[in-house]
Amino acid sequence: MDIQADMKLIEKNGIMAAGTVTIDGLFIIQEVIVRLIKQNDGTEKPVIFLPRRKAGEMGWKNVLEVSSEMKKEIDLAVGKSIKDALCRDNYAPNLDVSVMIYVKKDLLGYAALTYENAITIKDIQIYKADNEYGIRLLYPSYKGDKDDKWHSLIDIGGYLFDDVICRKVSEAYEEKLKNYPDFAERNFSKKRQQRGKSL
């Protein structure tokens, strides 16, 4: 099946995006919504909701029934449309990224972000992760004297912007690695050295 999605970025009242999904150019599903659902660990995860309608005393009722395979294809199409929208709408203007490679166990290096040539966030740690970009970012934080917990000094305002930053940092990191092929091959193999090394 040919499944195409056309999503618009919103990021308001817990809604990340909304739009339509077209099946084989024949059926157009309206009111497809992506909401940010808070997880047990405190992070937010985008979840796709297909349209429902209110059926009197019966409450809300699903308009569609889709197979698990079809749902996966819809999820992929919606995800791609959102990624395209991020680039199309230039969601993160004037965001410059610089990286320093420093490999030690799962730590890959550090990043600095400069926004609108006015503010720079330094010492962002880049860690290896099993996701689309292969990295996760740890923003500056401090450990409390009394509660012995880590407290964030910088937070990112929304899932969409966080996704843009991860993509830009990943691209900058991969670009820098091109200048050091021997270093990349040695430090990202299964036998990667445990001792930190920087460039």
Side-chain angles (χ1 to χ4, degrees), residues 88-107:
R88 181 176 65 245
D89 295 350
N90 194 22
Y91 192 76
N94 297 327
L95 182 66
D96 296 321
V97 177
S98 61
V99 298
M100 181 187 79
I101 299 175
Y102 179 90
V103 178
K104 185 176 182 181
K105 294 185 179 180
D106 285 337
L107 177 65

Side-chain angles (χ1 to χ4, degrees), residues 76 79-80 82-84 86 129-136 159 163 166-167 170-171 174:
L76 288 174
K80 181 180 182 302
I82 290 175
K83 300 294 184 188
D84 292 344
L86 286 170
D130 184 19
N131 57 28
E132 178 181 0
Y133 300 117
I135 63 169
R136 64 181 178 89
Y159 176 86
D163 187 84
C166 282
R167 172 170 55 83
S170 176
E171 291 172 352
E174 291 179 2

Side-chain angles (χ1 to χ4, degrees), residues 32-196:
V32 178
I33 294 174
V34 181
R35 292 184 179 274
L36 295 174
I37 305 300
K38 184 165 287 188
Q39 306 299 299
N40 292 332
D41 60 1
T43 60
E44 292 182 325
K45 178 182 178 182
V47 178
I48 299 169
F49 291 88
L50 298 177
R52 300 188 302 165
R53 67 181 179 88
K54 199 167 186 178
E57 295 180 355
M58 297 176 62
W60 290 92
K61 189 176 182 180
N62 291 330
V63 177
L64 301 168
E65 290 185 7
V66 298
S67 67
S68 58
E69 289 301 318
M70 169 73 80
K71 184 60 167 59
K72 289 180 182 177
E73 291 188 43
I74 290 175
D75 288 353
L76 288 174
V78 169
K80 181 180 182 302
S81 179
I82 290 175
K83 300 294 184 188
D84 292 344
L86 286 170
C87 298
R88 181 176 65 245
D89 295 350
N90 194 22
Y91 192 76
N94 297 327
L95 182 66
D96 296 321
V97 177
S98 61
V99 298
M100 181 187 79
I101 299 175
Y102 179 90
V103 178
K104 185 176 182 181
K105 294 185 179 180
D106 285 337
L107 177 65
L108 302 179
Y110 296 88
L113 305 176
T114 300
Y115 181 67
E116 296 286 354
N117 296 317
I119 182 171
T120 299
I121 304 172
K122 301 179 179 179
D123 297 329
I124 301 170
Q125 297 179 49
I126 308 170
Y127 281 92
K128 184 178 180 180
D130 184 19
N131 57 28
E132 178 181 0
Y133 300 117
I135 63 169
R136 64 181 178 89
L137 303 177
L138 183 62
Y139 292 89
S141 59
Y142 72 95
K143 195 171 186 179
D145 295 331
K146 296 181 179 179
D147 56 12
D148 202 38
K149 294 181 180 179
W150 287 95
H151 301 271
S152 176
L153 294 171
I154 301 291
D155 288 318
I156 300 303
Y159 176 86
L160 295 177
F161 192 39
D162 185 60
D163 187 84
V164 168
I165 292 173
C166 282
R167 172 170 55 83
K168 286 182 173 290
V169 170
S170 176
E171 291 172 352
Y173 195 91
E174 291 179 2
E175 187 65 28
K176 186 160 189 176
L177 276 180
K178 291 179 182 179
N179 298 323
Y180 306 95
D182 294 338
F183 179 88
E185 181 178 357
R186 181 170 64 254
N187 285 281
F188 291 93
S189 66
K190 291 182 179 180
K191 296 181 179 179
R192 188 174 59 199
Q193 297 177 2
Q194 298 299 308
R195 177 174 56 84

